[in-house]
Amino acid sequence: MRDAREFNFDGLVGPSHNYAGLSFGNVASFNNVRSASNPRQAALQGLAKMRELAARGFAQAVMPPQGRPNFRLLRSLGFSGTDADVLARAYREAPVILACAWSAAPMWTANAGTVSPSADSLDGRVHFTAANLNNKLHRSEEHLQATRTLRAIFADSNRFVVHDTLPSVPAFADEGAANHTRFAASHGAAGVEFFVYGRVEFDPSAPAPKKYPARQTLEASQAIARLHGLDPARTVFAAQNPDVIDQGVFHNDVISVGNGNVLFHHEQAFADEAGTLDALRRALAGVDTELQSVRVASSQVPVADAVASYLFNSQLLSKPDGRMALVVPHECRENPAVSNYLAGLVASGGPIDELVEFDLRQSMRNGGGPACLRLRVVLTDEEAAAMHQGVIMTEALYARLVAWVEQYYRDRVEPQDLADPQLALECAAALEELTRILGLPGLYDW
């Protein structure tokens, strides 16, 4: 076992942050469709979270935003002329497609990909696979920039492997780390990787939701496990409860979160709760670790309250004293059932003994909480030194990014602004400056 730390790569909210309501099945996103957004506030809220967690000693890094609008998408769908012509015609003829091209969704880097640390992989390298996100048009091209960004940050091929994305077909629908977690005695120890899926493409008789789409397939999860060289004895696949998908639980990280040897989950999270927990216990026994299940009953927190507050879309972080902190949004305090539950949780003497609360309202209104905003990457000291250092959150980087946001970001974006060519120019200028701040020249393929 080697010493290792878990880096949280938080998505830096881009200057095009807007509420387009594009994500059918994501209740918060759908409820706020076409309302005015505040990109400046959204970015500053995310940066405040990064700064605070870094100050507490957690390893924290920044994942840069993707370029928007996506002119490549618009031009591939028949909109031509100057950039201004493309925007005007798309706004006039296909406003939903235009909104897809402006999507702010890459801020949720839990969907950027799936990561397996070197302690779990056959070849002893850290493996990444960018998610194809093919369930939604507005997310279906994110993997192109996500792969490019991951390869820029993790360029040392002796230590890192960034795979091509899975085929963008329904059978391999992949939504990244939002449906994946890892359990281990410590970050540097060999662990158990846990994949949760919503449907089985090649078994039509398998349970599936009826109202909302299941975004992750078993076949995609199995393919990633093979690509990453995972030990089958330390890999667990579990079916998500289709009934909770139909209640707005579009990813597993809306209904459960894991860290270390702890699984914090709702009793309705899995199609077969007893079988899932038993499979995890048996796999963890193989790495001399005992699973701790922190189970939330429906009588304590109904699924509707869990979704509204994003209780489980929280970050579960290991502290130096061996206990854990739960990073939650303000909405958890504002929901009576969730607030009461959390008060009892931290007083219970269990593994979770601290709540860390953040105002992430701009992200929450668009359908993503603390866990959506971050991609977990476990790195040894040597691996951390080998990655690009310019993305690691420090007090100096925080100050530069705050000044950058205040210079380039608007404080209000409304639906009609997506037709404004000036907004497109502002976004491009902002990201070009960001590449200089982070030391990543050529990051964007304009």
Side-chain angles (χ1 to χ4, degrees), residues 83-122:
D83 288 351
D85 292 338
V86 167
L87 295 176
R89 185 178 175 191
Y91 182 72
R92 185 173 63 251
E93 298 179 8
V96 174
I97 293 176
L98 178 62
C100 289
W102 278 103
S103 170
M107 65 195 278
W108 298 311
T109 54
N111 301 123
T114 304
V115 186
S116 296
S118 55
D120 293 353
S121 66
L122 184 64

Side-chain angles (χ1 to χ4, degrees), residues 176-227:
N179 296 302
H180 168 267
T181 193
R182 177 179 187 264
F183 301 95
S186 67
H187 291 313
V192 170
E193 301 210 15
F194 181 46
F195 295 84
V196 180
Y197 59 91
R199 65 182 176 87
V200 184
E201 175 75 9
F202 299 138
D203 181 5
S205 67
K210 297 178 175 62
K211 179 180 179 182
Y212 292 139
R215 303 189 187 184
Q216 183 83 24
T217 65
L218 171 61
E219 291 83 358
S221 298
Q222 291 172 329
I224 291 169
R226 288 191 294 268
L227 283 170

